[in-house]
Structures are given as structure tokens and as C-alpha cells.
Amino acid sequence: MSNPIIFNEDQLDCLGELMNISYGSATAAISEILNSFATLNIPSIKIFEASKIKEYLNDNSIQNQEQYIASQILNGGISGENIFLIDIISAKNLALEFGLEENEINNNELSDIVLEITNILSSATIGRLASDLETTVSFEPPTIQKIDSFDKLDDKYMKDYEQVIVISTILEFEDQKIKAQLILLTIDSSILWLRDSIDKILEDL
Amino acid sequence: MKYLVTDDSKMARRMVIKLLKELIKDGDEILEASNGQEAIDIYKTDKPDLCFMDLTMPIIDGFEATKQIVQFDKDAKIVVITADIQEGAKDRALKNGARAFVKKPINETKMKQMIRSAGW
């Protein structure tokens, strides 16, 4: 295990503000599609060993029921994964907002909608962050799993990373009863790159 | 002139203050608050001429702080600077008494345009 990567208070504050702007773009993109207003929450930022991801998700996830977990690999200046978590009821409400009838809603349709939303959120969130940090990021097609416990989460999340920076926010459309969570995981080299980029921003202030 | 910059992010406050410093005159004062409650308290004590207000903040958010400040002083000049770029957020902030709504990140052009268009 390499030495833990540490961000000081100013670096964390700066990253939080950048993510706030990125999540603002993502929320606006979805609220435009749903023609609705979402509550924007303050992002939470944590850096820890990748082996603790399941523990983190169990302790911090807003979901406690069957849910979809869609993830999209990111390559470039910001490398890692963008994860979108949504419970089944919220996913069904999302499907209804997209114009599906109750009798049309099935696992395939829900997966399709969640994947589409993941695409939109990833490009809005990471696209904005990459632009603010003057880098480029490419996206692989998102994949999806339906799970009823984080203990059943694919172990790739622990195998592929040593440390992770987890940036999480809750997306909430109260009128439509839709609540979801966005989590960004980045690999060690990207964490260091992010920290250097943030230092450059801070130097200019 | 007194200015109040409210944001829970120190970096975001620094960005606004950096731009403000290029526009203000000698003797002008810049005050800072890190949440809506602090902004309300500082407003009541110092009565700044112009306030810059973030929306997504702990303790009291910018929507509520704007509302309470305008209830205290109907002539309060509040500019919202936010990452929440939804139309609904803009409508709510303006309804609560904000005079202008600016999307983050703020830059020199946006700051000058906003001050010019508001006639400040």
C-alpha cells in the first residue's frame, strides 16, 4: 500500500466547490428533461482505501432497498468511475416521467432509462469538471447491475483501485418522488493530478 | 461601500473577492459569511450596500437568507451567485428578493455586466 494521499482544507474546499458547479450542471440537465425542480445538496468528499468501498456505501447510501447501480468508466485527466445509484421505486417514477405507462415498465425498460440518465449525468458532471480543470475525459458505455445489498456489489470496485476519492451528492426531485445518488471514484494517479490542478487554481486566487 | 460575500466555500468567496477588489474604491469594505445565518447576522449589524449570496449552504441556505434579509430591509441589494442553474432556482431566488442571478463560476465579465446592468 502506498502512502495515503492527503488533501488539505483549502484543497478539499476547492474540490468541493468545483464539484458543486459540476453537479449543478448535471442537476440542471435532468431538471430540464423532467421539467421539474431538484434540490441541490452539498457534495461530500472522502478519500480512503478502495477496500472500504462497500463499508462506505453501506454507511452512506440513501438507499436501503433493491436498487440499480450504473457505472461508467472515465479515461483521461480524470480517470475512474462515475456511479449512479437509484432505488427501484425512484426508477419507476423516473420511467413514468419519461412517458412510460405502468404496464410498460419492466426491468429492461428501467435499466435502459437508468443507463440513459447515467450517460447524461456523467457527461454533464465530468464534462463540466474537465472543462474547469482544462483537461479532456472520454467515457466508456455505462453498465448496470440490480442489487439488494452492497455486499453483493461486484468486487471490481476494490480490485481496480488502491485509494479512492469518493465525491457524493444526492439528487432529489421531491414532487416526482425520485431520489438518487451520484458517486465519483477516481484512481490514485487521478487523485494526485486533481490535487496538482487544484493547487494551480488556488495559486491564482 | 460595504460588500458582503456569502458562500460556504472559502475558494468561492476568494474568487468573488478577487474580482471585487479590481472594481471597488479605496476605503470600501468587504465582509464575509460562510452560511446564510452568518449573512443574516452580519447584514443586520453592518448593513452592507451589496450582498453576493450562494444558494446551497449549510445551516440556512441562500434562498432563506435572501428572504430573511429582504424581510428585514426591503431595499437590500442581493445578487445570487450559484452552481444551481435550474430555472426553478432562479425563479425562487428572485421571488425571495434577489436582484440578480449569476451562474458560477463568476468571472470579470459577468461581474462587470451584473454591476452595470443593475446600475450599481
Side-chain angles (χ1 to χ4, degrees):
Chain A
M1 173 70 58
S2 55
N3 290 330
I5 301 167
I6 295 168
F7 277 50
N8 66 31
E9 198 183 321
D10 281 353
Q11 289 163 337
L12 280 175
D13 173 76
C14 184
L15 180 59
E17 182 59 12
L18 290 169
M19 289 312 298
N20 191 29
I21 293 170
S22 299
Y23 286 144
S25 297
T27 306
I30 301 297
S31 73
E32 201 173 315
I33 293 166
L34 299 181
N35 194 23
S36 178
F37 178 69
T39 305
L40 194 63
N41 291 288
I42 298 166
S44 141
I45 300 176
K46 299 251 188 304
I47 303 169
F48 50 81
E49 289 169 31
S51 59
K52 293 181 178 162
I53 288 179
K54 284 184 184 177
E55 191 184 321
Y56 169 85
L57 290 171
N58 275 322
D59 292 346
N60 294 278
S61 172
I62 55 168
Q63 328 290 0
N64 55 5
Q65 53 188 307
E66 203 176 23
Q67 62 199 284
Y68 289 101
I69 174 163
S71 70
Q72 190 158 28
I73 303 275
L74 318 168
N75 297 304
I78 305 159
S79 292
E81 246 168 294
N82 211 25
I83 295 175
F84 180 59
L85 291 164
I86 186 165
D87 66 83
I88 297 287
I89 294 166
S90 288
K92 282 181 181 166
N93 290 335
L94 191 61
L96 293 171
E97 288 298 320
F98 271 79
L100 265 72
E101 300 291 335
E102 283 276 3
N103 59 4
E104 292 176 306
I105 296 175
N106 56 42
N107 186 47
N108 284 345
E109 291 290 352
L110 289 180
S111 296
D112 193 49
I113 286 173
V114 171
L115 285 171
E116 183 54 23
I117 291 292
T118 305
N119 259 325
I120 294 168
L121 288 171
S122 282
S123 57
T125 308
I126 306 303
R128 175 78 226 202
L129 182 64
S131 159
D132 286 343
L133 293 173
E134 296 174 349
T135 187
T136 51
V137 174
S138 61
F139 301 90
E140 290 186 16
T143 57
I144 192 163
Q145 293 181 71
K146 191 159 83 169
I147 55 171
D148 56 13
S149 160
F150 286 113
D151 295 331
K152 293 179 185 167
L153 193 65
D154 194 328
D155 280 343
K156 70 176 180 163
Y157 294 100
M158 278 143 283
K159 285 181 189 153
D160 291 352
Y161 308 123
E162 195 163 307
Q163 285 183 86
V164 286
I165 182 161
V166 178
I167 305 170
S168 165
T169 197
I170 294 166
L171 192 63
E172 189 172 10
F173 292 88
E174 201 174 331
D175 291 347
Q176 284 78 9
K177 297 187 171 56
I178 297 168
K179 207 168 179 182
Q181 195 167 13
L182 263 175
I183 297 175
L184 172 64
L185 306 176
T186 56
I187 58 173
D188 291 20
S189 59
S190 256
I191 300 174
L192 292 169
W193 180 86
L194 265 174
R195 196 174 62 182
D196 289 346
S197 301
I198 285 167
D199 282 341
K200 283 177 195 151
I201 294 174
L202 290 171
E203 277 168 20
D204 286 341
L205 290 176
Chain B
M1 290 265 286
K2 269 186 199 170
Y3 300 87
L4 172 60
V5 180
T6 304
D7 201 302
D8 56 324
S9 162
K10 191 162 87 176
M11 175 225 173
R13 294 199 301 273
R14 277 198 226 163
M15 284 179 81
V16 174
I17 289 168
K18 186 185 172 196
L19 294 169
L20 259 181
K21 281 184 174 166
E22 290 168 19
L23 299 169
I24 63 176
K25 300 182 186 83
D26 284 347
D28 286 351
E29 192 179 352
I30 301 173
L31 308 166
E32 291 183 59
S34 61
N35 61 61
Q37 184 62 61
E38 273 183 29
I40 296 163
D41 294 343
I42 291 173
Y43 192 92
K44 288 180 177 175
T45 313
D46 292 87
K47 206 148 179 235
D49 302 281
L50 182 56
C51 306
F52 297 94
M53 181 77 75
D54 183 27
L55 290 180
T56 310
M57 291 187 291
I59 306 176
I60 288 184
D61 67 24
F63 293 112
E64 183 60 26
T66 299
K67 192 175 169 183
Q68 288 194 32
I69 289 171
V70 172
Q71 276 170 355
F72 173 77
D73 174 11
K74 65 178 174 47
D75 295 322
K77 294 186 180 73
I78 301 173
V79 174
V80 165
I81 301 178
T82 181
D84 190 350
I85 56 174
Q86 300 171 90
E87 276 303 309
K90 182 178 179 179
D91 292 346
R92 195 174 158 204
L94 295 177
K95 195 178 157 196
N96 284 4
R99 303 281 183 101
F101 186 94
V102 181
K103 294 173 188 176
K104 280 184 180 177
I106 182 98
N107 56 32
E108 193 178 348
T109 311
K110 282 186 193 173
M111 177 73 90
K112 280 183 178 167
Q113 273 174 355
M114 186 266 301
I115 288 180
R116 202 178 303 130
S117 66
W120 293 322

